[in-house]
Amino acid sequence: MLKDANFRQPHVHALGPLAKESWLTTLDGPAPPIRDRQVAGNGYKLVSACKNHDCRDNNMVVLYAPRFRTIYGKIVLRGRSTLIGSPPQRVATELERLWRTAYRRK
């Protein structure tokens, strides 16, 4: 996805100060395939990744709406959670569910 400027630019912008974390801007850690998702009536690409050798405490799930070039995400950095892109409540709820499914399976 980072090869696509339509994703890369809004992704880095949404990260804000978190863009200093190289794994968030390179997305070179373990990641499942990108999937299509419908959330709150909009189409998104689900992008997930984590930091090499530290997935439990450093990971992310991002919903990218190509039509609007909008990014919403949940970033966990050193065990602390942050939402990016100011997601609407329904999207924030879905991000939490997607994150739990990806990174907190029991």
Side-chain angles (χ1 to χ4, degrees):
M1 289 295 296
L2 289 174
K3 292 178 183 177
D4 178 357
N6 290 327
F7 172 81
R8 184 179 55 252
Q9 290 171 343
H11 174 67
V12 171
H13 179 73
L15 288 172
L18 298 177
K20 292 183 266 183
E21 297 290 328
S22 65
W23 71 272
L24 289 171
T25 55
T26 60
L27 303 180
D28 62 350
I34 296 165
R35 297 176 292 173
D36 291 327
R37 279 299 229 234
Q38 286 289 320
V39 178
N42 291 313
Y44 292 93
K45 301 283 185 191
L46 172 60
V47 180
S48 300
C50 64
K51 185 176 181 180
N52 279 315
H53 310 293
D54 197 4
C55 279
R56 178 139 185 102
D57 290 330
N58 293 281
N59 51 65
M60 62 163 241
V61 291
V62 167
L63 291 170
Y64 167 57
R67 182 174 173 202
F68 303 108
R69 294 182 60 194
T70 303
I71 302 267
Y72 300 122
K74 176 174 176 158
I75 309 290
V76 175
L77 184 62
R78 293 181 280 286
R80 298 186 70 153
S81 175
T82 302
L83 291 175
I84 62 168
S86 300
Q89 185 58 47
R90 287 175 59 193
V91 175
T93 299
E94 182 65 4
L95 283 166
E96 181 65 24
R97 190 189 72 69
L98 292 166
W99 178 82
R100 286 188 184 281
T101 299
Y103 297 107
R104 294 301 187 256
R105 293 186 198 144
K106 294 191 179 203

